[in-house]
Amino acid sequence: MKVYEESGCFDPHSLTDCQELMGLPGATPTNCHNSLEDTLTVSSYNHHHHEDASAALDMEPHQHYLLDNTTNSHSHLIPYLTQDLPYDQSHWESFNVVPSSSSPEAAAAAAAAASAYTPTPDLLSLFHLPRCSFLPNPSISFETTPGSPSVVYDPLFHLNLPPQPPVFRELLQSLPHGYTVPADDKDAARVGGLYHDGDNGIIQFTRDISMAGRAKDRDKAGKTTKHFATERERRVHLNDKYQALRTMVPSPTKNDRASIVDDAIKYIKELLGTVRELKILVDKKRCGQERSKRLKTEDAGSAADAGDVECKPLGDPDQCYNTSLRSSWLQRKSKDSEVDVRIVDDEVTIKLVQRKKINCLLFVSRLLDELQLDLQHVAGGNIGDYYSFLFNTKIYEGSSVYACAIANKLIDVVDRQYAAAPPTSSTSL
Amino acid sequence: MDMEFLKSELNELAITDHQRLTGGRMGRRKLEDDDDNNNKEFKSKNLQAERRRRQKLSDRLLTLRSLVPIITNMNKATIIDDAITYIQELQKTSQVLSEQLLEMEGSSEESVMPMKLEIDVAQHDMKKCGIKEEVKVSNIDGNKFLIKIIVEKKRGCFTQLVEAMNYLGFELSETNVTTFSGAMLFSSCVHGKYGDTLMVEHIEELLSEMMKSMKKNSQSTIELGNTN
């Protein structure tokens, strides 16, 4: 304990609280010990070497924090973060007090932090963490120059730790404003309203938590335990959320939780890829435009000679070095058709499988013409109950079509034709 | 130690599903009459299956959590919420970017250029390699034909070919299209839909005529394009 007090890196005050709440005499704190052992040894080392403090603290705790975060982030945070709310609140208050009053040095450190590292003031107010986390006491900055407290806050930012107290602050604020008493409405409209508003998302969710709490309080007589009501509400709530997640995904498959999460994971990856692709395209486009603009002003006479505008970018001041290879892969599935679109650089490979009813080849090729895709190779035909085709195409120079658009349009066209065709005979005219 | 704590937390949250599910399954209630052995066997299998199911779900939730950069609380409900918010954000971003792209596409004049370029290149290549345009039809069986066409490759020529096939009442069973040196080889196994059998020569004639008209049409469009 003495070591901790001296180093000031680990708050002994909160350690005892930890123990109380955990109810485990030595289990969790020993965990803390193990986790922070390295950091503590470092800081105790630093404590005795004031001169090196600034240098050492600059590097090592930073590294240690990051190491700790990357290796066992969950194991350390979860015990603390899944604790009861009152614990957090009480410590939040105590911590809140510290930067503002306790010592002028702490305030100076905080001010220095604010000046040295501008995003920190917001972070400071947000990350009111329980004291038994890695957040070092501001006293540690006493040993370093006021200019280096940026080290103290940097690693925490990477942690993305949950901003618990402000959530509650917002909750308390949001309560009087248009707070609706929760009837037994668990309809989709309410759920839809909740998730549409991305900005106020957090506030809305805390409203729900409080709603659940409220419901528990004014529980009607007749229910044996109040727990059943909240538990059921919570379950229904959770199911609603899963359903909401399912609606966002373009082609959901099974309706069980694991598949919903799986679809969501795939969709997020797809969206990330699409965004990346679009950014590359926009950049290319912008470069191309700038280039053509410049060339137009340079030689207005040779506009007729289209071949020469094949750019000579030597010596261009703002030439874009777009050497990244664009690649993306998307899949779309519907009830009767499946589309797979892969783009590498300027070649697009499309696979299409559709239940045999109409020969969609005509519509697909029309769409490909529309999308300005140059057919290089087509292969496919009737396999059993299905039509399966593979298209190898090239994107015409200057066109900026992207995978998502192709896939969506294709599945759309194919589905529409399939639906429009009469069920018995197959006429593709 | 901590992983188990986490697991137990998650399991606790999930225990309600278990209770809900066993009510509907053939699991516990019905087997009260059976042997003790059977009971225990089913119970343990069910338990293991349930544990595996929960494990699968929690693993996937962890993956989801790892993808989403902004997480508020670390419980099952909020990870779903955060995922929803993140997806919405990404959708918005991609929409903004695609609109931006459309705008830029509208204002640029690059797409007009390539058409003439391609066509000149294509004609040149084909003659150089000595590839000749060709229409060949062979009868396989009754109403089935094998059609092989070599034509100069142009924008939209494949569409025209397929349209021609449709017009003749052919359904394409297996199709294969390859391009090389400005020429396109269209090879397809077709069968007539409309019952009446066409003669091979007749088909060849019709196809050649269609291709000629295709050529004329495309040439006129090129001219139109040039004057623009």
Side-chain angles (χ1 to χ4, degrees), chain A residues 321-364:
Chain A
Y321 295 91
N322 203 349
T323 51
S324 59
L325 198 68
R326 159 216 180 153
S327 75
S328 53
W329 175 42
L330 275 171
Q331 276 185 327
R332 289 278 184 270
K333 291 192 181 130
S334 76
K335 202 183 81 168
D336 310 294
S337 358
E338 221 177 282
V339 165
D340 182 306
V341 177
R342 294 164 205 233
I343 303 186
V344 175
D345 204 21
D346 64 342
E347 301 199 358
V348 185
T349 306
I350 300 174
K351 286 184 220 171
L352 170 67
V353 177
Q354 194 185 46
R355 203 179 285 271
K356 178 180 179 183
K357 193 165 127 184
I358 54 156
N359 195 337
C360 48
L361 207 51
L362 178 60
F363 307 107
V364 173

Side-chain angles (χ1 to χ4, degrees), chain A residues 162 195 258 267 369 378 380 400, chain B residues 2 60 72 88 91 105 159 175 177:
Chain A
Y195 303 119
Y267 187 48
D369 290 336
V378 179
S400 52
Chain B
D2 297 301
R60 289 204 181 155
T72 48
Q88 283 174 333
Q91 284 176 332
E105 186 114 344
T159 315
T175 321
V177 174

Side-chain angles (χ1 to χ4, degrees), chain A residues 31 74-75 78-79 82 160 162 164 195-196 198 202 205 231 234-235 238-239 241-242 244-245 248 257-259 261-262 265 267-268 271-272 275 278-279 281-282 285-286 288-289 296 359 361-362 365-366 369 372 374-382 387 396-397 400 402 426 428-429, chain B residues 1-2 5-6 9 13 16-17 20 56-57 60-65 67-69 71-74 77 80-81 84-88 90-91 93-94 97-98 100-101 104-105 107-110 114 118 153 155-156 158-159 162-163 166-167 171-179 193-194:
Chain A
N31 242 343
H74 287 301
S75 53
I78 305 264
T82 53
N160 276 334
Q164 284 177 342
Y195 303 119
H196 252 290
I202 300 174
F205 306 142
E231 188 50 43
R234 200 186 59 82
R235 273 205 312 272
L238 196 57
N239 280 332
K241 287 177 187 172
Y242 272 96
L245 186 57
M248 309 207 61
R257 288 185 181 186
S259 312
V261 174
D262 200 34
I265 291 170
Y267 187 48
I268 288 179
L271 278 173
L272 287 169
V275 165
L278 284 172
K279 281 191 185 151
L281 284 174
V282 167
K285 208 57 178 189
R286 201 178 296 134
Q289 279 184 344
K296 261 196 234 154
N359 195 337
L361 207 51
L362 178 60
S365 77
R366 278 194 189 140
D369 290 336
Q372 302 197 322
D374 179 26
L375 266 178
Q376 310 265 299
H377 183 87
V378 179
N382 184 11
Y387 275 126
Y396 283 120
E397 177 97 30
S400 52
Y402 54 100
S426 53
S428 48
L429 275 174
Chain B
M1 167 60 198
D2 297 301
F5 180 77
L6 168 65
E9 279 274 274
L13 294 172
T16 52
D17 304 326
R20 207 175 25 157
K56 184 172 152 194
L57 183 61
R60 289 204 181 155
L61 277 175
L62 275 177
T63 320
L64 186 58
R65 189 181 298 166
L67 279 179
V68 177
I71 46 175
T72 48
N73 288 329
M74 282 218 192
I80 305 275
D81 294 328
I84 290 173
T85 329
Y86 186 51
I87 288 180
Q88 283 174 333
L90 284 177
Q91 284 176 332
T93 315
S94 76
L97 279 173
S98 70
Q100 205 178 12
L101 201 60
M104 296 171 98
E105 186 114 344
S107 59
S108 85
E109 299 161 19
E110 289 178 42
E118 288 158 38
K153 180 179 149 196
R155 274 205 199 196
F158 177 65
T159 315
V162 179
E163 278 172 350
N166 278 337
Y167 179 70
E171 182 164 309
L172 305 161
S173 330
E174 278 97 40
T175 321
N176 205 303
V177 174
T178 328
T179 58
K193 285 183 290 195
Y194 294 137

